[in-house]
Amino acid sequence: MAAGNDTGTSTAVTVIGLGVMGSALATALLRGGHPTTVWNRTTSKADALIASGAKPASSVGEAVSASPVVIVCLLDDDIALTHLDGASTAIAGRTLVNLTTSTPAQARRIAAWAAAHDIDYLDGGIMATPEMIGGPDASVLYSGSPSALDAARPALERFGNVDYVGGDPGLASLYDLALLSGMYGMVGGWFQALALVGSAGISAIEFVERLGPFMTAMASELPAIARQLDEHDRAPDAAPMATHTSALTNIIATNDQQGVKPQLLAPLRDLFEQATDADAVNLAELVEMLARPAT
Ligand code: FVH
C-alpha cells in the first residue's frame, strides 16, 4: 500500500544523497513539478535545491516519510544500506529506487532487505553523466519489482529513458557493469594508441581523426560476433586466429621499443595466444573462453 504524500498530479519524491548525481536527479524532479524532499549528510549541498523549491529533511527518517517514492543516490551500497536500515520502519510501504552504483550481489542484498521490511524495491544503473540527466541522451537501467517501476515511472521519466531489464534486482547492475566493461575496454585501447603515437611525436588531435572513424568501422563487426555467440556458430573468420596473435605481438613489441608500457593489451595478446593454441576459428570463441571456469 502506498504511503506518504502524493499531492496534485505529480508524485511526491524524496531524494537521499545530493552529490553531483543526486543533485541532478533532484533538479530534474523539481523541473518536472514533483514535490521533492531532500536529505544529504552535508546539509549545505541542499541549499541550491531548497532555493529552487525542494523541502529539506533533517534526517533520513523524516525524508522518507514525506513521499511515497524514495530515490537513493549515495556513494556506495554499504552506505546506502546503513542509512536505509536506520529508517526501515519509516520506509515500510513505500517504493524505493536505489540508483547508487552497485554489484548485482549488492543489489540483491538490498532487495532482500527491502522485502523483509515491506518495501517495494527497484534497483537502477545510471548510464549518464549528471549534466545529461533530464536530457535526450540520458538513459537509466532498472530491474526489480514491476509494481515499484509502475509507481515510480512518472518520476523516473524525468531523468531520461526508462530502460527496464527484468525482475531480478541484480540485472540492472549487471547490464550497467557490462556496458561499462565495453566502455573501459575501448578507453584502454584509446590510451594505448595515443601513448604509442605520442611516443613518436605525432599530434594526438591529428591522430584521433583516424582513430575515431576506424573504431566506428570496427564496431560494425559486433553484431556478427554476437550472433555467432548466441548461435554457437563455429564458422571460421576470414582472418585466422594466428593473424590476431601476430598483430598483438607486434603491437606489444613496438610499444616496448618506443618505451610505452604495453600493459593494457598484454592480457588480450595472452587470450589470443590461448585461442590460437586451442585452434579457435572465430572471435566469438574468445568470449566463450573468457566465460569458461578456470581449470
Ligand atoms: N557522477 C557520475 O557521473 C556517475 C554516473 C553513473 C552513476 N554514478 C553513481 O552515482 C552515485 C553517486 O555519485 P555522485 O557522482 O553523486 O558522487 P558524489 O558527488 O561523490 O556524492 C556522493 C554522495 O554520497 C554521500 N556520502 C558519501 N559517504 C557518505 C556517508 N558515509 N554517509 C552519508 N552519505 C555519504 C555524499 O554525501 P556528502 O559527502 O555530500 O555528505 C554524497 O551525497 C555513486 O554510486 C556513483 O557511482 C554517478
Side-chain angles (χ1 to χ4, degrees), residues 16-23 39-43 45 73-76 79 83 99-102 125-130 176:
I16 306 286
L18 302 175
V20 285
M21 184 52 84
S23 294
W39 178 87
N40 196 60
R41 177 183 62 172
T42 306
T43 53
K45 289 192 186 169
C73 190
L74 291 166
L75 187 63
D76 64 41
I79 292 168
H83 285 284
L99 297 182
T100 305
T101 298
S102 58
I126 302 174
M127 306 312 298
T129 60
D176 180 356

Side-chain angles (χ1 to χ4, degrees), residues 17 52 56 87 105 128 131 141 146 161-162 173 179 230 244 252 260 268 287:
S52 302
E131 303 74 36
L141 294 154
N161 176 48
V162 175
S173 160
L179 287 166
D230 283 351
H244 296 294
I252 285 163
V260 176
L268 194 61
V287 183

Side-chain angles (χ1 to χ4, degrees), residues 273-287:
E273 253 175 10
Q274 288 162 28
T276 305
D277 293 347
D279 296 322
V281 297
N282 63 32
L283 295 182
E285 278 194 73
L286 276 79
V287 183

